[in-house]
Amino acid sequence: MKRKIIKIDEEKCNGCGLCVSACHEGAIGMVGGKAKLLKDNYCDGLGDCLPVCPVKAISFEEREAAAYDANAVKQKNAPCGCPGSAPKNINSADYSAYESVKDVPSRLAQWPAQIKLAPLNAPYFENADLLIAADCSAYACGAFHEKYMKEKVTLIGCPKLDNADYMQKLAEIIKNNDIKSVTVVRMEVPCCSGLAAAVLKAAEMSGKNIAVKTIVLKLNGKEI
């Protein structure tokens, strides 16, 4: 059928991922650092994603497309409409082998840890390996402190819950301090792609040639 549906200009797209979070139906995802309409039948054609795009890469077009399938969207998404919030059971490990484990030391090297509270300049940023993590990731991965935080300065955040664009602040932190490297740890859910995209853009905006490594975790804490 011919109907109104969104169109994403990948040339204009800066990979911020804000449209992924704004799409309550889960029709948009990040592919190769660019936003992409993944399924026509998940797009309701109302365009909640349009106003959040900072580079106006999203518009409407009328073309042949599958009809909007509200039932498919309902089954895929959680009651709140966010695909990343869909209820799932996660297989638990056998914890009997860990009963003797006592106080494991924290690897948090500084305070505050929240991106929105972090200063633009601080002594601990100098010559630092920076870890920028989705706040859910430390709960998903039991070995998070030892595996990812050890010997790093850690900043955490969630662009969906904070309703924030971290790009400018992270760009200033990278620009104003001697950051050696940046590692991003995010969850596999679509809304988490916005964090990784913001960090990549921030590194570019800083004007520095700095390596950014992205690690994606499954809901059970294992790397993809």
Side-chain angles (χ1 to χ4, degrees):
M1 63 178 294
K2 196 169 187 177
R3 68 182 184 95
K4 185 174 74 171
I5 196 167
I6 67 157
K7 178 182 180 182
I8 301 173
D9 186 337
E10 293 190 10
E11 292 297 318
K12 289 184 179 179
C13 177
N14 65 2
C16 71
L18 295 176
C19 58
V20 177
S21 299
C23 180
H24 304 300
E25 291 72 33
I28 305 174
M30 299 299 294
V31 179
K34 299 285 187 176
K36 187 177 182 64
L37 178 60
L38 300 178
K39 288 190 175 183
D40 287 0
N41 64 328
Y42 283 6
C43 177
D44 60 9
L46 297 179
D48 287 348
C49 52
L50 268 71
V52 303
C53 180
V55 294
K56 301 189 184 304
I58 307 175
S59 60
F60 285 121
E61 65 175 345
E62 231 180 272
R63 63 170 174 83
E64 288 293 329
Y68 173 60
D69 190 339
N71 288 329
V73 171
K74 185 177 180 180
Q75 290 175 13
K76 179 180 186 291
N77 295 350
C80 71
C82 172
S85 302
K88 299 178 180 67
N89 286 327
I90 300 174
N91 292 330
S92 299
D94 178 6
Y95 293 105
S96 60
Y98 302 95
E99 289 177 356
S100 62
V101 176
K102 295 185 179 179
D103 293 331
V104 178
S106 169
R107 290 295 183 176
L108 185 63
Q110 91 297 329
W111 191 263
Q114 287 282 350
I115 297 173
K116 62 181 180 180
L117 300 179
L120 298 181
N121 295 90
Y124 50 74
F125 282 134
E126 291 305 311
N127 203 34
D129 291 304
L130 185 61
L131 172 67
I132 302 174
D135 50 12
C136 294
S137 57
Y139 292 95
C141 177
F144 194 85
H145 279 240
E146 287 299 313
K147 193 169 184 179
Y148 302 113
M149 290 174 59
K150 187 176 181 180
E151 298 179 351
K152 289 184 174 66
V153 170
T154 302
L155 296 179
I156 63 173
C158 174
K160 188 174 183 68
L161 297 182
D162 288 344
N163 193 25
D165 182 357
Y166 300 128
M167 282 188 290
Q168 189 62 50
K169 183 164 192 178
L170 291 175
E172 290 297 318
I173 289 174
I174 296 171
K175 179 181 178 180
N176 296 329
N177 300 279
D178 185 19
I179 304 293
K180 292 193 299 183
S181 69
V182 179
T183 301
V184 180
V185 178
R186 49 155 290 206
M187 301 302 296
E188 63 178 326
V189 296
C191 52
C192 233
S193 63
L195 179 64
V199 176
L200 289 170
K201 186 62 178 178
E204 180 184 331
M205 291 168 60
S206 74
K208 292 186 176 180
N209 184 19
I210 190 165
V212 177
K213 178 182 179 182
T214 300
I215 298 168
V216 182
L217 301 182
K218 298 179 182 179
L219 299 186
N220 63 5
K222 303 294 184 182
E223 291 184 17
I224 291 179

